[in-house]
Amino acid sequence: MRVLVTGSAGFIGSHVVEALSAHGHEPVAYDVRADPAADVRDRDAVARALAGVDAVCHQAAMVGLGTGFADAPEYVSRNDLGTAVLLAAMARTGVRRLVLAGSMVVYGEGRYECARHGVVRPGPREPGRLAAGRFEPGCPVCGADLTPGLVGEDAPADPRNVYAATKLAQEHLAAAWARATGGSAVSLRYHNVYGPRMPRDTPYAGVASFFRSALARGEAPRVFEDGRQRRDFVHVRDVAAANLAALEASSAPGALTPYNTGSGDPHTVGEMAHALAAAYGGPEPVVTGEYRLGDVRHITADSTRLRTELDWKPEVGFEAGMREFAASA
């Protein structure tokens, strides 16, 4: 299979390229960092890149929370306009298979249950509550403590920052393209991806990267809130394998199918910081109590659908993955 990989020089995209090559496919690299002319917003350049292609693995995106709402136009341009240009070119050229780099951020907060009111959806985080160190969301009906659980793909979307809004818009665009063309689209809703080649020293990187950069400077990782926020840290090679499985599978035409893509082994941010510091041999993490309003408290995935329908399973365990990441260049 000849596969156009957008964002091919990036963190996840470069691993996808390697996985495709290792399994006998022909990846076609497309990344503005490697070639300034390879911008997914460039209609003519994208059309040329699609020549002779069987499928597209769309990894190119602006990621992370960034530096504030002033980044919104750039996020929308790169993520949503770029996806629209790509899909329009696919419609013109007859390419009918898409795997999209989705994200768990489309859910907003994770799944919560109240002992009295069952499954509930917490409202927006309140600055006053966070400033007082009350990080756990309360029941929107009675205010009682909630129990976090795993999020399934049928959970309602509730994007709570600009990046999340653009990732949901990408899915809507891909679904509209699939309906209009009869194409098949898969969105792999990545959880917290980490591993070798993860971007560093940028406000758009992930939390594992922030901690790794601090350790490299001889500094203690700074853990926001109380460190008990739950995440699903999934290794980048497992994510690349999920892309390969999605490309090789038979997908429903005329529709978009979302798949949570997580390890199934949730950990707190504090646990991750301690594991990484121990593996690196650096200072112990410091819990600061700081917070970012655009963050969510708990978000962990139920990846059963991906495991059962695409016969995928993660291979890199948490401790081994953190040791490798700590030692990576």
Side-chain angles (χ1 to χ4, degrees):
M1 190 186 310
R2 195 163 192 257
V3 183
L4 178 67
V5 182
T6 69
S8 56
F11 168 42
I12 298 174
S14 63
H15 287 274
V16 171
V17 166
E18 290 178 356
L20 286 167
S21 296
H23 287 80
H25 299 292
E26 181 186 354
V28 178
Y30 193 87
D31 195 303
V32 72
R33 285 164 291 193
D35 178 1
D39 191 320
V40 289
R41 296 168 293 185
D42 186 323
R43 169 177 172 160
D44 294 334
V46 170
R48 288 192 296 271
L50 286 169
V53 161
D54 303 300
V56 174
C57 189
H58 185 30
Q59 303 294 318
M62 185 174 178
V63 301
L65 273 181
T67 58
F69 200 83
D71 287 332
E74 194 68 12
Y75 273 107
V76 172
S77 176
R78 291 184 180 275
N79 296 356
D80 299 339
L81 175 60
T83 298
V85 169
L86 172 65
L87 292 171
M90 291 173 67
R92 290 194 306 274
T93 56
V95 180
R96 295 292 181 261
R97 179 178 288 270
L98 171 71
V99 175
L100 173 68
S103 175
M104 55 83 182
V105 295
V106 301
Y107 298 119
E109 284 287 354
R111 185 182 188 276
Y112 293 91
E113 191 165 349
C114 172
R116 290 180 58 193
H117 298 101
V119 176
V120 295
R121 196 156 194 79
R125 304 186 89 185
E126 301 172 10
R129 185 182 178 97
L130 295 171
R134 299 171 61 196
F135 302 117
E136 293 291 343
C139 174
V141 181
C142 67
D145 291 342
L146 300 173
T147 302
L150 299 180
V151 180
E153 289 90 349
D154 59 350
D158 184 18
R160 298 198 172 192
N161 55 59
V162 171
Y163 171 60
T166 65
K167 295 307 289 183
L168 183 58
Q170 283 185 310
E171 288 196 357
H172 288 321
L173 288 165
W177 165 83
R179 286 192 295 270
T181 65
S184 65
V186 165
S187 178
L188 297 175
R189 291 176 174 171
Y190 302 158
H191 279 247
N192 289 70
V193 186
Y194 74 96
R197 299 175 219 153
M198 195 173 187
R200 296 183 188 167
D201 302 317
T202 164
Y204 304 95
V207 65
S209 177
F210 294 152
F211 293 166
R212 174 66 174 77
S213 293
L215 290 165
R217 296 191 300 267
E219 301 171 2
R222 295 175 60 83
V223 181
F224 279 16
E225 300 184 19
D226 57 5
R228 296 175 186 167
Q229 53 273 51
R230 285 160 51 91
R231 298 291 187 269
D232 186 324
F233 298 98
V234 58
H235 195 276
V236 66
R237 285 197 301 275
D238 287 329
V239 167
N243 277 272
L244 181 67
L247 285 163
E248 292 180 340
S250 297
S251 301
L256 178 137
T257 305
Y259 291 99
N260 287 335
T261 307
S263 70
D265 182 25
H267 290 270
T268 68
V269 172
E271 287 171 343
M272 186 271 287
H274 280 282
L276 192 56
Y280 192 84
E284 285 289 298
V286 175
V287 177
T288 69
E290 297 172 86
Y291 61 89
R292 298 189 298 180
L293 199 58
D295 278 335
V296 297
R297 179 60 176 174
H298 304 295
I299 177 68
T300 51
D302 181 352
S303 298
T304 302
R305 177 186 289 177
L306 180 60
R307 292 168 182 259
T308 56
E309 294 186 9
L310 300 188
D311 195 27
W312 170 90
K313 65 177 182 178
E315 300 290 345
V316 183
F318 177 75
E319 297 293 342
M322 287 297 160
R323 287 195 297 271
E324 180 195 15
F325 182 46
S328 63

